[in-house]
């Protein structure tokens, strides 16, 4: 019996060795073929003949760009949305297709902006990120404003702010808090952002309060009241734009060291490792610039068809304009950004997550919304900062709760649950 066991063990050993040799041989063969293809691709990439190297480089850069975010698989809806919109198909189908098409375009726009800003230095890069950070919301809102959809514009601005400071920040705190018991971030930067958000809240409360204080009257008094609110909104928008310009100067020049600080030893060690490894950039400045122009044009086309189909979808699907602006449109412009913020929060990079969530909200409140008020002034559309009473109160409470939770520079999963709970209640 022992001899049988020895023979069996010996046979098993021989079989295992043979199997390992076979597997190693297959692996070597696969590696050999991969090395051959890699070498061939490298030779074509470095070929001095432009008709050989340029197509290879274009294909490689395009593939790397499309593979930068999984959400880019939705790009198949871009030609479909444009085709259905151009042929005046069913408005509901046009809305859905262009809704899905703008999501990956927003991701690519953010990617191209980051690639270009990395080559321009801190100051110009910061200005570029500030300009294109919420480009999708801005383009969609400009199209809606041109068509006179004031309620859509106002609701989408408020919806973008609420989704960032409640939904995104809540998901970041919750996802990061599950993996890390307590996370820390730069409380000085967060406090500066939250203070500016409080100022923007006041800019909405004052017009709404003034409108309510002037009371009801005849048609002439209502016209006078609307004109007064319009004048107040124009002046307030100019002040908010000046404050945002001062904030950029504060962030990029005079107090740049505050925004470069890391929140803890783990973040410093990780940042040092990333600095040693170096960050690889895919697009050249010219390629990133061309990509920005092309993507912006495609977003504008899809946004045009999206906004044009809103009237029909409101009537057929019985969805209010407020719901479309408050819930649906913010998803379009921020989906990829939301995923990025949650991912970096799980990696304990809370400064970056805070910058994405609150920084994006601040851009909308201090840059995008005032700009749309001024643009409405130019194109003779009555875009004001006088929101509905419910919307103003909701905005005030959301900013108040967020300011309380980030004031100590620490976060946990319970705080994330609080923010998500408030967003669901709203």
């Amino acid at each position: 019996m022992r001899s049988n066991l020895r023979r069996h063990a010996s046979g098993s050993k021989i079989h295992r060795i043979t199997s390992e040799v076979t597997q190693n041989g297959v692996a070597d063969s696969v590696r050999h073929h991969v090395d051959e293809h890699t070498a061939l691709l490298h030779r074509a990439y470095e070929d001095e003949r432009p008709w050989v190297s340029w197509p290879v480089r274009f294909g490689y850069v395009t593939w790397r760009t499309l593979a930068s975010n999984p959400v880019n698989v939705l790009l198949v809806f871009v030609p479909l949305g444009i085709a259905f919109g151009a042929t005046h198909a069913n408005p509901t189908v046009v809305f859905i297709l262009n809704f899905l098409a703008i999501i990956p375009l927003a991701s690519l726009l953010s990617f191209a902006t980051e690639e270009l800003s990395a080559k321009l230095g801190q100051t110009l890069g910061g200005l570029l990120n500030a300009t294109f950070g919420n480009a999708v919301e801005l383009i969609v809102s400009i199209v809606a404003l041109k068509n006179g959809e004031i309620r859509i514009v106002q609701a989408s601005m408020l919806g973008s702010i609420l989704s960032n400071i409640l939904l995104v920040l809540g998901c970041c705190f919750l996802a990061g808090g599950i993996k890390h018991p307590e996370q820390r971030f730069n409380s000085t930067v967060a406090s500066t952002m939250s203070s500016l958000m409080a100022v923007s809240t006041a800019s909405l409360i004052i017009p709404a309060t003034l409108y309510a204080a002037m009371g009801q009257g005849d048609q002439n008094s209502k016209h006078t009241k609307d004109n007064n609110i319009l004048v107040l909104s124009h002046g307030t928008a100019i002040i908010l734009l000046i404050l945002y310009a001062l904030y950029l100067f504060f962030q990029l020049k005079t107090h740049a060291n505050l925004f470069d600080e890391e929140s803890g030893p783990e973040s410093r060690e990780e940042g040092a490792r990333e600095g040693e490894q170096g960050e690889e950039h895919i697009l050249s400045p010219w390629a990133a610039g061309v990509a920005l122009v092309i993507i912006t044009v495609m977003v504008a086309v899809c946004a045009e068809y999206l906004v044009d189909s809103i009237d029909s979808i409101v009537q057929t699907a019985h969805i209010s304009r407020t719901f479309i602006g408050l819930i649906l449109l913010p998803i379009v412009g921020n989906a990829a950004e939301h995923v990025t913020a949650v991912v970096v929060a799980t990696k304990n990079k809370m400064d970056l997550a805070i910058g994405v969530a609150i920084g994006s909200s601040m851009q909308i409140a201090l840059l995008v919304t005032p700009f749309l008020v001024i643009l409405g002034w130019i194109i003779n559309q009555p875009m004001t900062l006088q929101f509905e009473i419910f919307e103003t109160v909701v905005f005030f409470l959301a900013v108040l709760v967020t300011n309380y939770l980030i004031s100590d520079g620490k976060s946990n999963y319970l705080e994330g649950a609080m923010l998500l709970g408030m967003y669901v209640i709203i």
Side-chain angles (χ1 to χ4, degrees), residues 8 94 103 152 158 188 195 210 247 288 308 312 376 387 393 398 410:
H8 178 72
V94 173
I103 293 176
I152 293 289
L158 181 62
T188 304
S195 299
L210 177 62
Y247 168 73
D308 288 342
S312 297
F387 286 55
V393 172
K410 297 180 288 185

Side-chain angles (χ1 to χ4, degrees), residues 27-83:
D28 291 340
S29 177
V30 170
R31 280 195 295 269
H32 177 69
H33 285 295
V34 170
D35 291 342
E36 284 185 350
H37 286 294
T38 303
L40 182 62
L41 182 63
H42 181 73
R43 286 196 298 270
Y45 193 88
E46 299 295 336
D47 199 300
E48 295 181 356
R49 294 169 295 179
W51 61 87
V52 176
S53 60
W54 287 2
V56 174
R57 292 180 182 180
F58 178 79
Y60 176 74
V61 170
T62 302
W63 178 81
R64 289 288 305 276
T65 302
L66 295 178
S68 63
N69 197 315
V71 80
N72 291 335
V73 297
L74 296 177
L75 283 171
V76 295
F77 292 104
V78 174
L80 292 176
I82 295 175

Side-chain angles (χ1 to χ4, degrees), residues 12 26 151 173 205 297 319 324 342 364 383 413-414 422:
S12 300
V26 172
R151 286 296 305 139
F173 284 178
I205 293 176
V297 171
I319 299 176
I324 292 176
V342 175
I364 294 170
M383 173 67 185
Y413 71 87
L414 181 59
M422 186 168 183

Side-chain angles (χ1 to χ4, degrees), residues 201-217:
T201 305
S203 70
L204 298 188
I205 293 176
I206 293 173
T209 306
L210 177 62
Y211 189 85
M214 286 190 290
Q216 300 294 329

Side-chain angles (χ1 to χ4, degrees), residues 35 58 61 244 253-254 329 358 364:
D35 291 342
F58 178 79
V61 170
Y244 187 75
K253 279 292 184 183
T254 60
L329 292 185
I358 299 184
I364 294 170

Side-chain angles (χ1 to χ4, degrees), residues 79-89 94 98 301 305:
L80 292 176
I82 295 175
F84 276 74
T87 55
H88 305 287
V94 173
N98 286 282
V301 174
Y305 292 131

